[in-house]
Amino acid sequence: MMIRVMVVDDQALVRRGFSLVLDNEPDIEVVAEAGNGLEAIEAAREYQPDIILMDIRMPEMDGLEATARLLQEKRTEAGDTACRVIILTTFDPDEYVFRALQAGASGFVLKDIPPEALVEAVRTVADGGAMLSPGITQRLISQFAQKLGTGRNLAERLERLTTREREVLAAIADGKSNAEIAEALFIGPATVKTHVSSVLSKLGLRDRAQAVVFAYECGLATAGGRDVGF
Amino acid sequence: MMIRVMVVDDQALVRRGFSLVLDNEPDIEVVAEAGNGLEAIEAAREYQPDIILMDIRMPEMDGLEATARLLQEKRTEAGDTACRVIILTTFDPDEYVFRALQAGASGFVLKDIPPEALVEAVRTVADGGAMLSPGITQRLISQFAQKLGTGRNLAERLERLTTREREVLAAIADGKSNAEIAEALFIGPATVKTHVSSVLSKLGLRDRAQAVVFAYECGLATAGGRDVGF
DNA sequence: GGCCGCCTCCCCCTTTTGGGGGAGGCCAGA
DNA sequence: TCTGGCCTCCCCCAAAAGGGGGAGGCGGCC
């Protein structure tokens, strides 16, 4: 099964370089090239590559924007351009990584990686995996661990709460009013007030808004899962 | 510069296998082996390895616990055991990855990786990078992108707010009362009420607690940075 | 100039919230 | 058995929050 690759970079020489390296592999076929984001989107429609190697800095439309559009199409139209994107760049500021992953990229590697590693990255991503430069993986892990780590100290405070109180706190962190909590937990509104009071007092908080903050900070509530369809 | 490695696994055969592969490299030296977490901690103290390959499932003390203790020492005593840990396991449940990264591991690879890749992983981590199995990187990215992605739709609603209103929302998401917001923004409490009201009305929220939820969900506030020293 | 959006502040009002008690039932551990 | 923690609900009360107006100043835009 050939892996169909498209190379997107505004510098023709760079493009040819990558293409040659990849085309040299028996299981990889470079089916298209593009010089900017707009061309990339068109070419992707026409040639249906499996993998797109995308530069960031390009005229007309940069690689991040193009990636976002390509993968958004994929998500909405479903099955059209079911390709996966590897961002290939010389620079690695956090901001780019951030936006690249948000756009849906499956890889983020620096252009100075050895050719074999690039080939391996293409195979890995074609296989459903993801590949980041070691340093980037490192930072991603740090950020992740940080989010978990901070929860530690606060999670201890959480343990001073009874089961019911934690349930109430979770409901508060859901944006529910006391009446709604009562309904959700099948108890009276007065009881909810009691629980809310002990939650606030035990955690040293002043009002439910601070309780929501606390819930998010300690990991009881996490951004991303919720609908916010209040 | 030789990379000093320690291999920790309860199965002697597995241990020997990895050791042989690594010792065969000119720049890598296996300086110790251990059969469980306790031994690993002792041996690490004695042999000061740069890299520890750590299995998870082991008697006495598992690899995650050992990793956490080793790296906690490192953080507190500073400079003692300045090693980095690669978790090497047959299983890859999310839960393990989660805990491994929290413990401070710099790598998480499955035992079925090809020997060259393992060697490469050791070099990468010794070099300050991090290495995850492709599938794990993939999931880490998804989780990360999810947290960012949901912010998209909500961030649009955010743009309906004026600058001042966003400032007020941020203050609400900080757990501040109207009076505190007034003080922080150098405006009167009545003005704060006005802003809060328009924030709630523009975003379709009912109370400040929901506003806090919204702020976290859309990324205006993020878990991890705050003190919660209310 | 006139219009409009934004920021600022004021009034009055109702609802919610949070604090301070008290009280009964239930269950586990001393 | 009895004590203590937990869950449940009640009372009263003060403070805060939220909704509904109105109004003046200010800067941009047509």
Side-chain angles (χ1 to χ4, degrees), chain A residues 33-68:
Chain A
E33 292 187 4
N36 64 55
L38 286 176
E39 286 180 30
I41 292 179
E42 279 182 40
R45 258 192 262 275
E46 186 172 349
Y47 296 101
Q48 301 285 322
D50 302 312
I51 302 292
I52 300 178
L53 292 184
M54 183 84 78
D55 190 25
I56 292 187
R57 305 182 73 159
M58 290 185 297
E60 302 294 333
M61 181 189 294
D62 72 38
L64 297 178
E65 178 69 21
T67 300

PDB file of all heavy atoms in Angstrom, chain A residues 33-68:
ATOM      1  N   GLU A  33       2.830  18.679  -5.257  1.00  0.00           N
ATOM      2  CA  GLU A  33       3.585  19.680  -4.537  1.00  0.00           C
ATOM      3  C   GLU A  33       2.788  20.975  -4.598  1.00  0.00           C
ATOM      4  O   GLU A  33       1.992  21.179  -5.507  1.00  0.00           O
ATOM      5  CB  GLU A  33       4.967  19.887  -5.179  1.00  0.00           C
ATOM      6  CG  GLU A  33       5.895  18.700  -5.037  1.00  0.00           C
ATOM      7  CD  GLU A  33       7.299  19.015  -5.548  1.00  0.00           C
ATOM      8  OE1 GLU A  33       7.539  20.182  -5.927  1.00  0.00           O
ATOM      9  OE2 GLU A  33       8.135  18.101  -5.575  1.00  0.00           O
ATOM     10  N   ALA A  34       3.011  21.850  -3.622  1.00  0.00           N
ATOM     11  CA  ALA A  34       2.327  23.136  -3.650  1.00  0.00           C
ATOM     12  C   ALA A  34       3.242  24.182  -3.034  1.00  0.00           C
ATOM     13  O   ALA A  34       4.110  23.852  -2.222  1.00  0.00           O
ATOM     14  CB  ALA A  34       1.007  23.052  -2.890  1.00  0.00           C
ATOM     15  N   GLY A  35       3.043  25.426  -3.441  1.00  0.00           N
ATOM     16  CA  GLY A  35       3.932  26.488  -3.012  1.00  0.00           C
ATOM     17  C   GLY A  35       3.334  27.411  -1.972  1.00  0.00           C
ATOM     18  O   GLY A  35       4.020  28.268  -1.423  1.00  0.00           O
ATOM     19  N   ASN A  36       2.051  27.247  -1.667  1.00  0.00           N
ATOM     20  CA  ASN A  36       1.439  28.016  -0.586  1.00  0.00           C
ATOM     21  C   ASN A  36       0.138  27.332  -0.156  1.00  0.00           C
ATOM     22  O   ASN A  36      -0.263  26.320  -0.738  1.00  0.00           O
ATOM     23  CB  ASN A  36       1.175  29.460  -1.021  1.00  0.00           C
ATOM     24  CG  ASN A  36       0.154  29.544  -2.148  1.00  0.00           C
ATOM     25  OD1 ASN A  36      -0.949  29.034  -2.022  1.00  0.00           O
ATOM     26  ND2 ASN A  36       0.549  30.172  -3.254  1.00  0.00           N
ATOM     27  N   GLY A  37      -0.479  27.907   0.847  1.00  0.00           N
ATOM     28  CA  GLY A  37      -1.639  27.264   1.439  1.00  0.00           C
ATOM     29  C   GLY A  37      -2.805  27.089   0.485  1.00  0.00           C
ATOM     30  O   GLY A  37      -3.467  26.051   0.475  1.00  0.00           O
ATOM     31  N   LEU A  38      -3.052  28.105  -0.334  1.00  0.00           N
ATOM     32  CA  LEU A  38      -4.173  28.026  -1.265  1.00  0.00           C
ATOM     33  C   LEU A  38      -3.977  26.900  -2.268  1.00  0.00           C
ATOM     34  O   LEU A  38      -4.877  26.084  -2.496  1.00  0.00           O
ATOM     35  CB  LEU A  38      -4.344  29.364  -1.991  1.00  0.00           C
ATOM     36  CG  LEU A  38      -4.941  30.481  -1.139  1.00  0.00           C
ATOM     37  CD1 LEU A  38      -4.967  31.792  -1.914  1.00  0.00           C
ATOM     38  CD2 LEU A  38      -6.342  30.110  -0.677  1.00  0.00           C
ATOM     39  N   GLU A  39      -2.781  26.889  -2.849  1.00  0.00           N
ATOM     40  CA  GLU A  39      -2.467  25.808  -3.785  1.00  0.00           C
ATOM     41  C   GLU A  39      -2.607  24.448  -3.099  1.00  0.00           C
ATOM     42  O   GLU A  39      -3.094  23.482  -3.698  1.00  0.00           O
ATOM     43  CB  GLU A  39      -1.021  25.942  -4.292  1.00  0.00           C
ATOM     44  CG  GLU A  39      -0.801  27.071  -5.299  1.00  0.00           C
ATOM     45  CD  GLU A  39       0.661  27.130  -5.748  1.00  0.00           C
ATOM     46  OE1 GLU A  39       1.306  26.069  -5.764  1.00  0.00           O
ATOM     47  OE2 GLU A  39       1.126  28.238  -6.058  1.00  0.00           O
ATOM     48  N   ALA A  40      -2.172  24.404  -1.871  1.00  0.00           N
ATOM     49  CA  ALA A  40      -2.210  23.144  -1.137  1.00  0.00           C
ATOM     50  C   ALA A  40      -3.639  22.618  -1.020  1.00  0.00           C
ATOM     51  O   ALA A  40      -3.901  21.437  -1.219  1.00  0.00           O
ATOM     52  CB  ALA A  40      -1.608  23.335   0.257  1.00  0.00           C
ATOM     53  N   ILE A  41      -4.564  23.529  -0.723  1.00  0.00           N
ATOM     54  CA  ILE A  41      -5.956  23.110  -0.546  1.00  0.00           C
ATOM     55  C   ILE A  41      -6.521  22.583  -1.859  1.00  0.00           C
ATOM     56  O   ILE A  41      -7.165  21.530  -1.905  1.00  0.00           O
ATOM     57  CB  ILE A  41      -6.795  24.286  -0.013  1.00  0.00           C
ATOM     58  CG1 ILE A  41      -6.359  24.604   1.415  1.00  0.00           C
ATOM     59  CG2 ILE A  41      -8.273  23.950  -0.064  1.00  0.00           C
ATOM     60  CD1 ILE A  41      -7.091  25.764   2.040  1.00  0.00           C
ATOM     61  N   GLU A  42      -6.225  23.318  -2.937  1.00  0.00           N
ATOM     62  CA  GLU A  42      -6.687  22.855  -4.260  1.00  0.00           C
ATOM     63  C   GLU A  42      -6.088  21.504  -4.606  1.00  0.00           C
ATOM     64  O   GLU A  42      -6.791  20.560  -4.999  1.00  0.00           O
ATOM     65  CB  GLU A  42      -6.276  23.869  -5.344  1.00  0.00           C
ATOM     66  CG  GLU A  42      -7.189  25.069  -5.451  1.00  0.00           C
ATOM     67  CD  GLU A  42      -6.714  25.980  -6.573  1.00  0.00           C
ATOM     68  OE1 GLU A  42      -6.304  25.441  -7.619  1.00  0.00           O
ATOM     69  OE2 GLU A  42      -6.728  27.205  -6.391  1.00  0.00           O
ATOM     70  N   ALA A  43      -4.759  21.437  -4.467  1.00  0.00           N
ATOM     71  CA  ALA A  43      -4.057  20.215  -4.844  1.00  0.00           C
ATOM     72  C   ALA A  43      -4.526  19.023  -4.014  1.00  0.00           C
ATOM     73  O   ALA A  43      -4.635  17.899  -4.518  1.00  0.00           O
ATOM     74  CB  ALA A  43      -2.557  20.409  -4.688  1.00  0.00           C
ATOM     75  N   ALA A  44      -4.818  19.290  -2.742  1.00  0.00           N
ATOM     76  CA  ALA A  44      -5.262  18.203  -1.874  1.00  0.00           C
ATOM     77  C   ALA A  44      -6.582  17.635  -2.391  1.00  0.00           C
ATOM     78  O   ALA A  44      -6.805  16.435  -2.414  1.00  0.00           O
ATOM     79  CB  ALA A  44      -5.429  18.708  -0.446  1.00  0.00           C
ATOM     80  N   ARG A  45      -7.466  18.539  -2.840  1.00  0.00           N
ATOM     81  CA  ARG A  45      -8.745  18.106  -3.400  1.00  0.00           C
ATOM     82  C   ARG A  45      -8.521  17.224  -4.619  1.00  0.00           C
ATOM     83  O   ARG A  45      -9.185  16.201  -4.787  1.00  0.00           O
ATOM     84  CB  ARG A  45      -9.576  19.325  -3.796  1.00  0.00           C
ATOM     85  CG  ARG A  45     -10.665  19.668  -2.808  1.00  0.00           C
ATOM     86  CD  ARG A  45     -11.611  20.681  -3.421  1.00  0.00           C
ATOM     87  NE  ARG A  45     -11.293  22.042  -2.981  1.00  0.00           N
ATOM     88  CZ  ARG A  45     -11.768  22.563  -1.831  1.00  0.00           C
ATOM     89  NH1 ARG A  45     -12.544  21.840  -1.056  1.00  0.00           N
ATOM     90  NH2 ARG A  45     -11.454  23.789  -1.476  1.00  0.00           N
ATOM     91  N   GLU A  46      -7.584  17.645  -5.438  1.00  0.00           N
ATOM     92  CA  GLU A  46      -7.375  16.936  -6.702  1.00  0.00           C
ATOM     93  C   GLU A  46      -6.633  15.611  -6.522  1.00  0.00           C
ATOM     94  O   GLU A  46      -7.026  14.601  -7.106  1.00  0.00           O
ATOM     95  CB  GLU A  46      -6.578  17.837  -7.664  1.00  0.00           C
ATOM     96  CG  GLU A  46      -6.437  17.243  -9.055  1.00  0.00           C
ATOM     97  CD  GLU A  46      -5.814  18.242 -10.025  1.00  0.00           C
ATOM     98  OE1 GLU A  46      -5.695  19.430  -9.652  1.00  0.00           O
ATOM     99  OE2 GLU A  46      -5.441  17.813 -11.136  1.00  0.00           O
ATOM    100  N   TYR A  47      -5.582  15.629  -5.720  1.00  0.00           N
ATOM    101  CA  TYR A  47      -4.720  14.445  -5.667  1.00  0.00           C
ATOM    102  C   TYR A  47      -4.978  13.533  -4.457  1.00  0.00           C
ATOM    103  O   TYR A  47      -4.405  12.460  -4.361  1.00  0.00           O
ATOM    104  CB  TYR A  47      -3.250  14.866  -5.698  1.00  0.00           C
ATOM    105  CG  TYR A  47      -2.864  15.551  -6.985  1.00  0.00           C
ATOM    106  CD1 TYR A  47      -2.755  16.937  -7.066  1.00  0.00           C
ATOM    107  CD2 TYR A  47      -2.627  14.792  -8.138  1.00  0.00           C
ATOM    108  CE1 TYR A  47      -2.413  17.562  -8.251  1.00  0.00           C
ATOM    109  CE2 TYR A  47      -2.286  15.415  -9.324  1.00  0.00           C
ATOM    110  CZ  TYR A  47      -2.174  16.805  -9.378  1.00  0.00           C
ATOM    111  OH  TYR A  47      -1.832  17.409 -10.556  1.00  0.00           O
ATOM    112  N   GLN A  48      -5.805  14.001  -3.523  1.00  0.00           N
ATOM    113  CA  GLN A  48      -6.150  13.161  -2.364  1.00  0.00           C
ATOM    114  C   GLN A  48      -4.945  12.479  -1.717  1.00  0.00           C
ATOM    115  O   GLN A  48      -4.906  11.245  -1.623  1.00  0.00           O
ATOM    116  CB  GLN A  48      -7.151  12.091  -2.811  1.00  0.00           C
ATOM    117  CG  GLN A  48      -8.433  12.636  -3.398  1.00  0.00           C
ATOM    118  CD  GLN A  48      -9.358  13.185  -2.333  1.00  0.00           C
ATOM    119  OE1 GLN A  48      -9.446  12.618  -1.249  1.00  0.00           O
ATOM    120  NE2 GLN A  48     -10.024  14.285  -2.612  1.00  0.00           N
ATOM    121  N   PRO A  49      -4.000  13.235  -1.252  1.00  0.00           N
ATOM    122  CA  PRO A  49      -2.850  12.607  -0.595  1.00  0.00           C
ATOM    123  C   PRO A  49      -3.231  12.044   0.779  1.00  0.00           C
ATOM    124  O   PRO A  49      -4.237  12.481   1.364  1.00  0.00           O
ATOM    125  CB  PRO A  49      -1.873  13.773  -0.442  1.00  0.00           C
ATOM    126  CG  PRO A  49      -2.741  14.973  -0.335  1.00  0.00           C
ATOM    127  CD  PRO A  49      -3.930  14.703  -1.220  1.00  0.00           C
ATOM    128  N   ASP A  50      -2.466  11.086   1.237  1.00  0.00           N
ATOM    129  CA  ASP A  50      -2.694  10.557   2.587  1.00  0.00           C
ATOM    130  C   ASP A  50      -2.026  11.457   3.623  1.00  0.00           C
ATOM    131  O   ASP A  50      -2.547  11.680   4.699  1.00  0.00           O
ATOM    132  CB  ASP A  50      -2.097   9.145   2.707  1.00  0.00           C
ATOM    133  CG  ASP A  50      -2.691   8.184   1.693  1.00  0.00           C
ATOM    134  OD1 ASP A  50      -3.923   8.159   1.582  1.00  0.00           O
ATOM    135  OD2 ASP A  50      -1.916   7.488   1.018  1.00  0.00           O
ATOM    136  N   ILE A  51      -0.850  11.931   3.232  1.00  0.00           N
ATOM    137  CA  ILE A  51      -0.044  12.729   4.153  1.00  0.00           C
ATOM    138  C   ILE A  51       0.351  14.043   3.476  1.00  0.00           C
ATOM    139  O   ILE A  51       0.728  14.051   2.300  1.00  0.00           O
ATOM    140  CB  ILE A  51       1.258  11.989   4.520  1.00  0.00           C
ATOM    141  CG1 ILE A  51       0.943  10.639   5.153  1.00  0.00           C
ATOM    142  CG2 ILE A  51       2.132  12.846   5.423  1.00  0.00           C
ATOM    143  CD1 ILE A  51       0.312  10.742   6.500  1.00  0.00           C
ATOM    144  N   ILE A  52       0.256  15.135   4.226  1.00  0.00           N
ATOM    145  CA  ILE A  52       0.728  16.406   3.706  1.00  0.00           C
ATOM    146  C   ILE A  52       1.850  16.919   4.594  1.00  0.00           C
ATOM    147  O   ILE A  52       1.679  17.050   5.799  1.00  0.00           O
ATOM    148  CB  ILE A  52      -0.407  17.453   3.678  1.00  0.00           C
ATOM    149  CG1 ILE A  52      -1.551  16.963   2.792  1.00  0.00           C
ATOM    150  CG2 ILE A  52       0.118  18.804   3.180  1.00  0.00           C
ATOM    151  CD1 ILE A  52      -2.716  17.923   2.748  1.00  0.00           C
ATOM    152  N   LEU A  53       2.998  17.188   3.960  1.00  0.00           N
ATOM    153  CA  LEU A  53       4.095  17.818   4.691  1.00  0.00           C
ATOM    154  C   LEU A  53       3.918  19.309   4.475  1.00  0.00           C
ATOM    155  O   LEU A  53       3.956  19.792   3.345  1.00  0.00           O
ATOM    156  CB  LEU A  53       5.448  17.365   4.138  1.00  0.00           C
ATOM    157  CG  LEU A  53       5.805  15.900   4.378  1.00  0.00           C
ATOM    158  CD1 LEU A  53       7.215  15.610   3.874  1.00  0.00           C
ATOM    159  CD2 LEU A  53       5.710  15.580   5.857  1.00  0.00           C
ATOM    160  N   MET A  54       3.714  20.043   5.536  1.00  0.00           N
ATOM    161  CA  MET A  54       3.324  21.447   5.394  1.00  0.00           C
ATOM    162  C   MET A  54       4.304  22.391   6.077  1.00  0.00           C
ATOM    163  O   MET A  54       4.559  22.266   7.274  1.00  0.00           O
ATOM    164  CB  MET A  54       1.935  21.607   6.031  1.00  0.00           C
ATOM    165  CG  MET A  54       1.322  22.964   5.930  1.00  0.00           C
ATOM    166  SD  MET A  54       0.475  23.233   4.351  1.00  0.00           S
ATOM    167  CE  MET A  54      -1.057  22.323   4.651  1.00  0.00           C
ATOM    168  N   ASP A  55       4.811  23.324   5.304  1.00  0.00           N
ATOM    169  CA  ASP A  55       5.635  24.384   5.873  1.00  0.00           C
ATOM    170  C   ASP A  55       4.701  25.388   6.543  1.00  0.00           C
ATOM    171  O   ASP A  55       3.499  25.411   6.259  1.00  0.00           O
ATOM    172  CB  ASP A  55       6.443  25.071   4.763  1.00  0.00           C
ATOM    173  CG  ASP A  55       7.486  26.020   5.335  1.00  0.00           C
ATOM    174  OD1 ASP A  55       7.901  25.802   6.491  1.00  0.00           O
ATOM    175  OD2 ASP A  55       7.889  26.959   4.627  1.00  0.00           O
ATOM    176  N   ILE A  56       5.240  26.197   7.443  1.00  0.00           N
ATOM    177  CA  ILE A  56       4.380  27.200   8.070  1.00  0.00           C
ATOM    178  C   ILE A  56       4.440  28.526   7.323  1.00  0.00           C
ATOM    179  O   ILE A  56       3.418  29.053   6.874  1.00  0.00           O
ATOM    180  CB  ILE A  56       4.766  27.422   9.543  1.00  0.00           C
ATOM    181  CG1 ILE A  56       4.434  26.178  10.367  1.00  0.00           C
ATOM    182  CG2 ILE A  56       4.005  28.628  10.103  1.00  0.00           C
ATOM    183  CD1 ILE A  56       4.632  26.369  11.857  1.00  0.00           C
ATOM    184  N   ARG A  57       5.627  29.060   7.194  1.00  0.00           N
ATOM    185  CA  ARG A  57       5.767  30.390   6.600  1.00  0.00           C
ATOM    186  C   ARG A  57       5.694  30.332   5.082  1.00  0.00           C
ATOM    187  O   ARG A  57       6.602  29.868   4.417  1.00  0.00           O
ATOM    188  CB  ARG A  57       7.085  31.014   7.049  1.00  0.00           C
ATOM    189  CG  ARG A  57       7.205  31.054   8.564  1.00  0.00           C
ATOM    190  CD  ARG A  57       8.482  31.717   8.994  1.00  0.00           C
ATOM    191  NE  ARG A  57       8.434  33.155   8.788  1.00  0.00           N
ATOM    192  CZ  ARG A  57       9.220  34.009   9.432  1.00  0.00           C
ATOM    193  NH1 ARG A  57      10.099  33.548  10.296  1.00  0.00           N
ATOM    194  NH2 ARG A  57       9.146  35.288   9.211  1.00  0.00           N
ATOM    195  N   MET A  58       4.587  30.798   4.556  1.00  0.00           N
ATOM    196  CA  MET A  58       4.390  30.802   3.108  1.00  0.00           C
ATOM    197  C   MET A  58       3.548  32.020   2.728  1.00  0.00           C
ATOM    198  O   MET A  58       2.740  32.493   3.522  1.00  0.00           O
ATOM    199  CB  MET A  58       3.645  29.523   2.683  1.00  0.00           C
ATOM    200  CG  MET A  58       4.483  28.262   2.812  1.00  0.00           C
ATOM    201  SD  MET A  58       3.619  26.832   2.168  1.00  0.00           S
ATOM    202  CE  MET A  58       2.229  26.765   3.287  1.00  0.00           C
ATOM    203  N   PRO A  59       3.726  32.503   1.505  1.00  0.00           N
ATOM    204  CA  PRO A  59       2.907  33.625   1.028  1.00  0.00           C
ATOM    205  C   PRO A  59       1.467  33.156   0.801  1.00  0.00           C
ATOM    206  O   PRO A  59       1.189  31.969   0.823  1.00  0.00           O
ATOM    207  CB  PRO A  59       3.593  34.007  -0.289  1.00  0.00           C
ATOM    208  CG  PRO A  59       4.282  32.766  -0.738  1.00  0.00           C
ATOM    209  CD  PRO A  59       4.710  32.063   0.511  1.00  0.00           C
ATOM    210  N   GLU A  60       0.595  34.113   0.550  1.00  0.00           N
ATOM    211  CA  GLU A  60      -0.828  33.815   0.287  1.00  0.00           C
ATOM    212  C   GLU A  60      -1.544  33.290   1.528  1.00  0.00           C
ATOM    213  O   GLU A  60      -2.326  33.972   2.154  1.00  0.00           O
ATOM    214  CB  GLU A  60      -1.002  32.810  -0.864  1.00  0.00           C
ATOM    215  CG  GLU A  60      -0.387  33.249  -2.183  1.00  0.00           C
ATOM    216  CD  GLU A  60      -1.082  34.470  -2.775  1.00  0.00           C
ATOM    217  OE1 GLU A  60      -2.272  34.658  -2.494  1.00  0.00           O
ATOM    218  OE2 GLU A  60      -0.426  35.239  -3.507  1.00  0.00           O
ATOM    219  N   MET A  61      -1.253  32.044   1.839  1.00  0.00           N
ATOM    220  CA  MET A  61      -1.882  31.489   3.029  1.00  0.00           C
ATOM    221  C   MET A  61      -0.867  30.611   3.736  1.00  0.00           C
ATOM    222  O   MET A  61      -0.250  29.748   3.114  1.00  0.00           O
ATOM    223  CB  MET A  61      -3.095  30.651   2.637  1.00  0.00           C
ATOM    224  CG  MET A  61      -3.819  30.049   3.835  1.00  0.00           C
ATOM    225  SD  MET A  61      -5.074  28.855   3.382  1.00  0.00           S
ATOM    226  CE  MET A  61      -6.244  29.887   2.543  1.00  0.00           C
ATOM    227  N   ASP A  62      -0.686  30.836   5.046  1.00  0.00           N
ATOM    228  CA  ASP A  62       0.343  30.060   5.740  1.00  0.00           C
ATOM    229  C   ASP A  62      -0.123  28.629   6.011  1.00  0.00           C
ATOM    230  O   ASP A  62      -1.288  28.287   5.843  1.00  0.00           O
ATOM    231  CB  ASP A  62       0.806  30.770   7.022  1.00  0.00           C
ATOM    232  CG  ASP A  62      -0.246  30.731   8.111  1.00  0.00           C
ATOM    233  OD1 ASP A  62      -0.929  29.706   8.248  1.00  0.00           O
ATOM    234  OD2 ASP A  62      -0.376  31.726   8.833  1.00  0.00           O
ATOM    235  N   GLY A  63       0.788  27.823   6.447  1.00  0.00           N
ATOM    236  CA  GLY A  63       0.531  26.396   6.607  1.00  0.00           C
ATOM    237  C   GLY A  63      -0.466  26.069   7.704  1.00  0.00           C
ATOM    238  O   GLY A  63      -1.205  25.092   7.604  1.00  0.00           O
ATOM    239  N   LEU A  64      -0.495  26.890   8.721  1.00  0.00           N
ATOM    240  CA  LEU A  64      -1.410  26.611   9.825  1.00  0.00           C
ATOM    241  C   LEU A  64      -2.846  26.851   9.389  1.00  0.00           C
ATOM    242  O   LEU A  64      -3.730  26.036   9.643  1.00  0.00           O
ATOM    243  CB  LEU A  64      -1.055  27.492  11.017  1.00  0.00           C
ATOM    244  CG  LEU A  64       0.343  27.240  11.599  1.00  0.00           C
ATOM    245  CD1 LEU A  64       0.623  28.195  12.745  1.00  0.00           C
ATOM    246  CD2 LEU A  64       0.450  25.806  12.060  1.00  0.00           C
ATOM    247  N   GLU A  65      -3.038  27.972   8.720  1.00  0.00           N
ATOM    248  CA  GLU A  65      -4.367  28.298   8.208  1.00  0.00           C
ATOM    249  C   GLU A  65      -4.836  27.210   7.247  1.00  0.00           C
ATOM    250  O   GLU A  65      -5.968  26.722   7.325  1.00  0.00           O
ATOM    251  CB  GLU A  65      -4.306  29.647   7.485  1.00  0.00           C
ATOM    252  CG  GLU A  65      -5.610  30.097   6.864  1.00  0.00           C
ATOM    253  CD  GLU A  65      -6.658  30.460   7.897  1.00  0.00           C
ATOM    254  OE1 GLU A  65      -6.271  30.746   9.048  1.00  0.00           O
ATOM    255  OE2 GLU A  65      -7.847  30.431   7.552  1.00  0.00           O
ATOM    256  N   ALA A  66      -3.936  26.832   6.337  1.00  0.00           N
ATOM    257  CA  ALA A  66      -4.280  25.810   5.349  1.00  0.00           C
ATOM    258  C   ALA A  66      -4.626  24.487   6.027  1.00  0.00           C
ATOM    259  O   ALA A  66      -5.599  23.819   5.651  1.00  0.00           O
ATOM    260  CB  ALA A  66      -3.114  25.610   4.380  1.00  0.00           C
ATOM    261  N   THR A  67      -3.845  24.149   7.028  1.00  0.00           N
ATOM    262  CA  THR A  67      -4.104  22.906   7.759  1.00  0.00           C
ATOM    263  C   THR A  67      -5.483  22.936   8.398  1.00  0.00           C
ATOM    264  O   THR A  67      -6.262  21.989   8.295  1.00  0.00           O
ATOM    265  CB  THR A  67      -3.046  22.708   8.867  1.00  0.00           C
ATOM    266  OG1 THR A  67      -1.758  22.653   8.263  1.00  0.00           O
ATOM    267  CG2 THR A  67      -3.301  21.426   9.635  1.00  0.00           C
ATOM    268  N   ALA A  68      -5.763  24.062   9.043  1.00  0.00           N
ATOM    269  CA  ALA A  68      -7.051  24.191   9.711  1.00  0.00           C
ATOM    270  C   ALA A  68      -8.192  24.007   8.711  1.00  0.00           C
ATOM    271  O   ALA A  68      -9.149  23.281   8.959  1.00  0.00           O
ATOM    272  CB  ALA A  68      -7.150  25.548  10.399  1.00  0.00           C
TER     273      ALA A  68
END
